[in-house]
């Protein structure tokens, strides 16, 4: 029976198909020009760029051959960050940095600068490609939206939320924007930003994101600590809501305003009545295992029961934004009755 194991390729074929070998050939070919102080000519520049590009390809390929995908990704990111930092340092130091080196190393340093440009670019593109692949890959255990449970008396749903008014979320976003703008303004006024940052819009935006990241992570951590289990149950004539061990039953006739936002940055439940004023934010809470930080849309029977109890929909279904489907019900009997009363 013939063996199905493929025979290994000859060593010379592995060498000739290796990007590292051709990177070494290209850089070695550029070295004579560099050592004779003619490294700024067109042939050595092309050979240096080609060698750096091939070296970047070889390094990225080696990260894919790591013992695990996670280890390979971290090695890939570390190499991209190291090469980016070295390239930025060499560009920023300019001629002053070259003068700090011994005379025999100045010309090879110029060749390294040229080679780092395509090598760093290829590694950064590889990191972005890996991130895109992970984002597009379907999850093995996809998370789902909490579902309604129906029985003979009504509908109920369980979820996780943070007791917080939506205004607090808005003010937090405003404060974060003001803080980032203030820090960037101070850096610009004091001329503390390098030229390569202030002249590149993409790098400038990346710097703003890095400044905003620590307070954002702190906010997410606080919300995760304040996350509590909650549930909502609609019956024919009442709403039963429970959160963090507390439970309240509110007749539908007593509710003055109900907001049910099932998805988006402000996914939440808001209830206002003479006895209770409560806002449970779902979007900022840490969801349960296998669940999304969302709510299911209101059942049609529940919407009909709310209307029957005197709560009129303020935002119609057709006008809801796709990214933030929201239902708002308000009691309008008082305004209607006052408008119908004739004035004397």
């Amino acid at each position: 029976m013939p063996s199905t194991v493929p025979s290994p390729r000859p060593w010379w074929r592995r060498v000739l198909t290796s990007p590292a070998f051709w990177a070494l050939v290209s850089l070695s070919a550029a070295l004579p020009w560099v050592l004779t102080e003619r490294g700024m000519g067109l042939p050595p520049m092309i050979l240096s760029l080609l060698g750096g590009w091939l070296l970047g390809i070889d390094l990225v390929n080696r990260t894919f051959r790591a013992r695990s995908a996670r280890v390979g990704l971290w090695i890939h990111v570390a190499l991209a960050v190291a090469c980016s930092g070295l390239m930025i340092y060499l560009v920023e130091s300019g001629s002053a940095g070259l003068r700090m080196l011994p005379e025999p190393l100045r010309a090879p340093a110029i060749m390294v600068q040229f080679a780092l440009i395509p090598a760093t670019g290829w590694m950064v593109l590889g990191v972005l490609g890996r991130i895109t692949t992970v984002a597009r890959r379907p999850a093995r255990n996809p998370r789902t939206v909490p579902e309604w449970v129906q029985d003979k008396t009504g509908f109920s749903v369980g979820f996780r939320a943070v007791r917080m008014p939506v205004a607090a979320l808005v003010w937090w976003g405003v404060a974060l924007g003001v803080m980032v703008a203030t820090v960037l303004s101070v850096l610009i006024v004091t001329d503390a930003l390098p030229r390569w940052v202030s002249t590149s819009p993409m790098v400038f935006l990346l710097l703003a994101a890095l400044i905003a990241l620590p307070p954002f992570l702190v906010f997410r951590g606080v919300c995760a600590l304040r996350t509590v289990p909650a549930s909502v149950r609609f019956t024919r004539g009442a709403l039963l809501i429970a959160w963090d061990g507390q439970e309240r039953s509110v007749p539908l006739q007593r509710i003055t305003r109900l907001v049910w936002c099932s998805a988006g940055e402000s996914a939440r439940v808001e209830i206002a009545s003479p006895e209770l004023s409560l806002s449970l934010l779902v979007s900022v809470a840490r969801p349960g295992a296998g669940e999304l930080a969302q709510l299911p849309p209101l059942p049609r029977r529940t919407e009909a029961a709310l209307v029957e109890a005197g709560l009129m929909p303020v935002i119609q279904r057709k006008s809801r934004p796709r990214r933030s489907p929201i239902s708002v019900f308000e009691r309008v009997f008082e305004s209607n009755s006052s408008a119908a009363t004739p004035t004397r």
Side-chain angles (χ1 to χ4, degrees):
M1 181 177 179
S3 175
T4 59
V5 179
S7 58
R9 294 184 302 169
W11 67 268
W12 57 269
R13 181 172 295 180
R14 294 198 301 270
V15 170
L16 292 179
T17 56
S18 171
F21 171 75
W22 292 109
L24 181 61
V25 170
S26 300
L27 296 175
S28 300
L31 195 58
W33 276 285
V34 173
L35 295 179
T36 56
E37 297 184 356
R38 291 183 295 173
M40 298 301 293
L42 184 61
M45 289 178 59
I46 293 177
L47 290 171
S48 299
L49 293 172
L50 179 62
W53 176 60
L54 292 170
L55 187 60
I57 292 176
D58 183 75
L59 291 175
V60 171
N61 291 344
R62 289 180 184 275
T63 62
F64 280 100
R65 293 196 291 267
R67 63 176 182 269
S68 69
R70 180 173 298 180
V71 172
L73 175 61
W74 284 113
I75 295 175
H76 191 166
V77 172
L79 287 173
V81 171
C83 290
S84 300
L86 180 59
M87 183 184 66
I88 292 171
Y89 171 76
L90 292 176
V91 171
E92 282 294 314
S93 61
S95 58
L98 290 176
R99 285 194 296 269
M100 296 173 58
L101 296 175
E103 184 68 29
L105 296 180
R106 293 178 184 177
I110 297 177
M111 184 179 69
V112 171
Q113 288 182 5
F114 284 118
L116 273 176
I117 296 173
T120 304
W122 186 262
M123 281 188 283
V124 171
L125 288 176
V127 172
L128 296 178
R130 276 184 156 175
I131 295 174
T132 304
T133 301
V134 172
R136 292 180 177 177
R137 184 183 303 165
R140 295 181 180 179
N141 299 311
R143 296 187 296 173
T144 58
V145 179
E147 297 182 354
W148 291 102
V149 178
Q150 181 180 6
D151 54 24
K152 296 181 179 180
T153 58
F155 297 86
S156 60
V157 62
F159 53 92
R160 294 172 67 84
V162 177
R163 184 172 185 180
M164 179 190 301
V166 70
L169 182 63
V170 174
W171 280 112
W172 175 86
V174 172
L176 181 62
V178 171
M179 187 207 70
V180 173
T182 302
V183 173
L184 290 176
S185 300
V186 171
L187 293 176
I188 293 173
V189 171
T190 58
D191 200 19
L193 291 177
R195 288 176 298 173
W196 58 272
V197 174
S198 56
T199 57
S200 174
M202 293 300 296
V203 177
F204 193 78
L205 291 176
L206 178 60
L207 177 62
L210 291 176
I211 295 173
L213 184 60
F216 175 77
L217 293 179
V218 170
F219 175 78
R220 294 294 298 182
V222 172
C223 290
L225 292 176
R226 295 183 58 188
T227 298
V228 296
S231 65
V232 171
R233 177 176 177 80
F234 286 100
T235 62
R236 186 67 179 175
L239 181 153
L240 180 65
I241 186 165
W243 74 98
D244 195 22
Q246 303 183 52
E247 185 173 320
R248 297 291 293 273
S249 179
V250 183
L252 298 184
Q253 298 286 348
R254 301 285 293 173
I255 296 177
T256 57
R257 178 179 169 87
L258 173 67
V259 178
W260 187 276
C261 185
S262 58
E265 295 80 3
S266 59
R268 66 195 188 278
V269 181
E270 288 185 17
I271 301 172
S273 71
E275 300 85 5
L276 179 65
S277 179
L278 180 65
S279 175
L280 296 177
L281 276 176
V282 179
S283 58
V284 299
R286 176 183 290 177
E291 292 185 349
L292 292 170
Q294 297 180 11
L295 292 170
L298 285 174
R300 291 184 178 273
R301 290 186 183 179
T302 299
E303 292 183 344
L306 293 171
V307 172
E308 185 179 348
L311 290 164
M312 296 294 107
V314 177
I315 299 179
Q316 300 298 326
R317 184 181 299 273
K318 294 182 179 180
S319 63
R320 296 175 187 171
R322 291 183 179 181
R323 297 182 60 184
S324 182
I326 181 171
S327 299
V328 179
F329 294 85
E330 290 184 347
R331 188 166 301 280
V332 294
F333 286 170
E334 292 79 2
S335 59
N336 289 342
S337 59
S338 60
T341 303
T343 57
R344 295 182 179 180

